[in-house]
Every structure is written in structure tokens, then in C-alpha cells.
Amino acid sequence: MATGNECRAKVLVLDADGERAADLGRRLDFLDYDPVIIGADAGTVVADSLAVVFGEAGGNDTIGEMARRLRARNAGLPFLCLADDAGLASGPNWALESPLRRSQLQRLLQRAERYRGKDRRHRITGRSHPIRNVRRLIEQVADFDTSVLITGESGTGKELVARTIHDLSDRAEQAFVPVNCGAIPAELLESELFGHEKGAFTGAISSRRGRFELAEGGTLFLDEIGDMSLDMQVKLLRVLQERTFERIGSNRMQACNVRIVAATHVDVRQAVERGEFREDLFYRLNVFPIEMPPLYKRVADLPLLLDELFVSQAGVKKGRRRLDADATAALARYRWPGNVRELSNLVERLAIMKPDGTIGLEDLPARYRTSKSPVAMTNSDCANTRISEAGLKDHLQCLEQQLIREAMAATNGVVAQAARLLSMRRTTLVEKIGKYRIH
């Protein structure tokens, strides 16, 4: 146990009920955290805080606004919410059950310690509905050893999802070991995964540990699992079923304690139907599926992604860059076949070509300036409405509502910024918000 508060992690307590706030403080103190019941201004205690235990706004506008200000100032500060989340913007919002259980409170605080201790520069960025759903699934599965299958187009950030699952899990202090199954020749993949003994084959001049041994106690990320040969799939299935393996050239079985997270851009169900992927392995991996949406289905996240990529790639010290309304609208219309990876490459190019100032439409490469792809391709129910079931006018209005909601969410409800993102006048957007009764 720590002997003083200076040795303990600071946890903020925010609750409209003073008696419950005091009780939360006592519980945190018992768990060896430094509780800080915050008042009207929490600005001085946010920077080095581990998390916020948010009891309830309880209709108190001041408490609700304080919670939203805390989230706005530090998007990466975890909120442990006992009741409602007071309309918090997306971020690490983790639900506490009522009545409060000490074991759950302790587990989530330990998760917050892992979360805050990791490098958050490459976190999953965005506030769109598809990305909020991905984050929710990650937080649900992180504490379990369940196998996860991440699907999505190339460049969407599937490895980032896998790393986030690992970072939030109990295995976070152990190794995260990625292996690209599609980049390694089939005849070498077995040695890469399971290792080999000296002399096991020509060229094996020494013994070598495989990725399963390197990932012991941690997470093994099998990227592009859909490209794995059928022979190798059989061997992987055996390891997953028996939790044992042997190096090539050895007859000694080794137990393994490894969590498997796999990813693929292939439609595995169709591959199973074609006989290219084993059905039993698919069900073994697909215990908890997560689909990473393509960038064109989360276009409302574009401003946040651009800001983060400019900071992480170009560096804050080189000056803040931003895109004007025309350039942003052009990128929003683009289809993004390369997804976030393509966006990252574009940002790197723009940072070199335009080291300072505002980036305009004329600064974009030609294919981004001339794109006619509709921004309306989003992950909404509206986008999936069959034209035959509704008139064209109703269909377009449904898509328009969804775009406005996404833009408002991406800009924290700032109408002027949302109007720039949508490339329309502010007064026009205000009229449409009133027309569609968007809150």
C-alpha cells in the first residue's frame, strides 16, 4: 500500500449526489487510489488524472456541462459511468453496474491504468456511428480471452483494432506479436509460427522460436488469415483446439497461453463456400467478429482524422495546417479505395508540398479534386433503403438527414464547422436542422 497520496494514481469523482460522491471517494481510497471530488472548475486536475468516476448528472446542468468540458479537454480520459453519460462525446466511456461492485470498479480502474499508459497517438479516431460501434465492441471483448476475427477492406486499420484490444486486456504487459500470413510463403509459415530445431531442414543452422512462443502470455495477431493455405489451416486449428504445438524437427509438445486475434480483407464465408477456407477454423476464429468500416462509410470522421494525421506525421512544431472548405468537401466526395492508409499517405505528401498555411483545393492531387463519388455512402439505414420502396425525393432526404447528423457529431454540434464540412452556408444548415428536427 502507498504511504501518501503523491504515490497514488489520481481519480476524479463527479456526481450530483454529494453523499454518493463521498462514498465513491472512500471506495477509491480503500482501493489505494487518490480520490479528488471535483468542484466547479476541474481544469487544474485533469492533466495527471487516471480516470473520472462519473456517478450521475441527476438533472444538474452544471454537473453535466462539467463532464462534457472534461471530455472536450481530454478525449483520452476514461469515464467510468455509474448511470448516464450526460451526452458525452465519444471516447473511453465504460459502464459501471448499479449497485456498484468493488471488483468491477477495480477491474475498470486497472484497465484505465493500461489505457493511459499506452501511446495514444495512433488511437482509433472518430465519432461516427460505425466507429463508435467498433469501440464499443472492443471494450466489450477486451477483458476476455475470446478469439476475435476483424474484417474490413485493406487500409481500414484492422491491426490498430487488434492492438487496442491487446492494450485494454489483462495481457497488455505481455507481447503483442503480429504476423502477416499473406506475406510469408506457405512453405515458411509453419516455421514462422511454430519455430524449428537446428537441422530440421536445409538452412536451419540453429534453433529458432516461433511467433507462438514469442507471444506467450500475450496476443498473437494473424493478419490476412484468409490467405493461409489449407494445409496450414489444419495445423493452426489443432493448436487452437489443443493449446499445444511442437517446433519443426521436434517431438516435444509445448503448451501455449496465447490469445488469437485474426484479421482479413477476404469474405471468409464465401471462401468457406468455395472450399478455400476450412469451416471449422472459421467458427473457431469467428467467436467475436468486428467489422472495420471503410473510410467512405465514416466520412464524418474526416476532419478529426486529418487533424490527428497532420499532428502525428508532420509534427506540431512545424505549424498547424488545415484544409479550407473546398478541399475538405472534395476529400469528402472521394471514394477512398485505400482507406485510412491512403489518407495517411496523402497527408504526408501535403505536409511536404505545403509546409505552412491553409491547404486549398488547388493543392490536392488531381484525382482528389475531380472526384464525383457521392459522400452519401454512409453506414446508415438510410443508405440501405431500397429506391423501389420509396420515392427518390424521400430517399435523398433520408441520406441528407444522415449526413447532417454525422457532420454535427464530428464537429461537437458546432453548426459553422459542420456547414464547412458539408460545403453549405451556415444559414442553410440551420434551416435544414430545424426542418428535420435534428437535436
Side-chain angles (χ1 to χ4, degrees):
M1 297 288 285
T3 58
N5 288 356
E6 68 278 1
C7 301
R8 304 193 296 175
K10 185 182 298 180
V11 178
L12 310 182
V13 178
L14 181 60
D15 198 327
D17 187 328
E19 185 176 338
R20 184 168 54 195
D23 178 63
L24 287 170
R26 288 191 292 270
R27 290 172 182 259
L28 291 167
D29 185 64
F30 179 80
L31 293 174
D32 205 23
Y33 293 95
D34 178 15
V36 179
I37 300 176
I38 58 179
D41 185 7
T44 59
V45 294
V46 174
D48 59 346
S49 300
L50 172 66
V52 178
V53 177
F54 184 23
E56 187 175 354
N60 188 319
D61 293 340
T62 302
I63 293 293
E65 180 59 29
M66 195 183 307
R68 290 187 286 273
R69 284 206 311 269
L70 281 171
R71 169 48 49 80
R73 291 174 184 171
N74 193 333
L77 183 65
F79 269 68
L80 281 55
C81 304
L82 189 60
D84 58 71
D85 61 7
L88 293 172
S90 62
N93 304 331
W94 304 331
L96 285 167
E97 296 175 3
S98 182
L100 184 64
R101 292 184 292 111
R102 187 180 71 182
S103 59
Q104 188 194 33
L105 177 61
Q106 186 172 31
R107 177 170 59 82
L108 291 181
L109 287 170
Q110 289 171 349
R111 176 194 283 186
E113 290 179 4
R114 296 192 297 270
Y115 186 90
R116 297 286 276 173
K118 297 296 177 179
D119 183 356
R120 307 307 301 167
R121 289 176 299 172
H122 303 291
R123 62 184 181 270
I124 298 175
T125 301
R127 301 188 183 113
S128 64
H129 175 73
I131 284 301
R132 290 201 304 269
N133 186 55
V134 167
R135 276 199 292 261
R136 178 181 59 81
L137 293 173
I138 289 172
E139 290 165 5
Q140 285 179 334
V141 78
D143 288 330
F144 301 89
D145 281 340
T146 304
S147 296
V148 178
L149 180 61
I150 307 166
T151 57
E153 297 177 8
S154 296
T156 52
K158 295 187 291 294
E159 182 170 346
L160 182 57
V161 173
R163 286 185 180 275
T164 305
I165 292 172
H166 174 75
D167 288 350
L168 294 180
S169 74
D170 294 337
R171 298 175 177 266
E173 301 304 319
Q174 305 302 319
F176 175 86
V177 179
V179 54
N180 190 325
C181 301
I184 301 173
E187 62 273 15
L188 299 180
L189 186 57
E190 183 177 3
S191 172
E192 190 70 26
L193 290 177
F194 307 131
H196 61 255
E197 298 292 353
K198 180 179 179 180
F201 50 82
T202 303
I205 59 177
S206 63
S207 297
R208 183 175 184 271
R209 293 195 299 163
R211 300 297 180 96
F212 270 92
E213 287 183 73
L214 294 173
E216 179 64 22
T219 302
L220 179 63
F221 175 54
L222 300 174
D223 197 9
E224 299 303 348
I225 191 76
D227 295 335
M228 182 179 286
S229 69
L230 286 171
D231 288 343
M232 194 63 224
Q233 289 177 33
V234 174
K235 296 173 182 177
L236 176 61
L237 178 63
R238 180 184 176 186
V239 176
L240 296 182
Q241 289 175 335
E242 301 180 6
R243 293 294 171 178
T244 59
F245 68 94
E246 56 186 44
R247 291 182 182 179
I248 298 176
S250 171
N251 58 6
R252 183 174 69 87
M253 300 298 296
Q254 298 187 50
C256 66
N257 173 23
V258 172
R259 181 184 192 169
I260 299 295
V261 178
T264 180
H265 71 283
V266 173
D267 188 327
V268 187
R269 291 185 183 275
Q270 290 186 7
V272 169
E273 293 175 0
R274 293 193 302 266
E276 298 172 357
F277 201 88
R278 290 183 62 93
E279 186 175 20
D280 46 6
L281 178 58
F282 168 66
Y283 288 120
R284 177 68 65 171
L285 294 172
N286 195 45
V287 178
F288 195 93
I290 297 177
E291 182 180 0
M292 194 62 178
L295 183 53
Y296 77 84
K297 288 189 176 182
R298 45 178 296 214
V299 70
D301 294 330
L302 199 57
L304 291 174
L305 286 166
L306 287 167
D307 285 346
E308 181 157 307
L309 287 170
F310 272 123
V311 170
S312 63
Q313 291 195 7
V316 179
K317 63 183 179 181
K318 296 184 179 180
R320 179 175 175 81
R321 302 169 187 82
R322 67 180 184 87
L323 276 71
D324 65 17
D326 291 339
T328 302
L331 295 184
R333 289 192 298 270
Y334 185 62
R335 181 80 179 181
W336 297 106
N339 293 295
V340 178
R341 184 182 296 128
E342 181 182 359
L343 178 64
S344 178
N345 292 339
L346 174 63
V347 167
E348 185 174 359
R349 174 177 177 174
L350 292 174
I352 296 171
M353 300 296 293
K354 189 85 170 183
D356 294 297
T358 300
I359 296 169
L361 183 64
E362 67 280 0
D363 298 313
L364 299 179
R367 67 177 179 276
Y368 300 101
R369 296 197 303 267
T370 58
S371 173
K372 300 297 183 182
S373 297
V375 70
M377 295 297 293
T378 66
N379 192 41
S380 64
D381 293 334
C382 285
N384 295 323
T385 302
R386 291 170 53 189
I387 297 294
S388 60
E389 296 175 353
L392 178 60
K393 180 179 179 180
D394 291 340
H395 185 74
L396 293 176
Q397 286 183 346
C398 190
L399 293 176
E400 185 177 54
Q401 288 182 55
Q402 178 64 21
L403 284 174
I404 293 173
R405 292 180 193 279
E406 296 279 8
M408 292 294 287
T411 57
N412 280 331
V414 180
V415 177
Q417 294 180 14
R420 284 196 294 271
L421 178 60
L422 294 167
S423 193
M424 66 170 59
R425 295 176 60 185
R426 181 183 181 281
T427 52
T428 303
L429 179 56
V430 170
E431 290 175 359
K432 290 183 179 293
I433 289 173
K435 173 185 175 182
Y436 295 130
R437 299 180 180 178
I438 294 174
H439 300 290

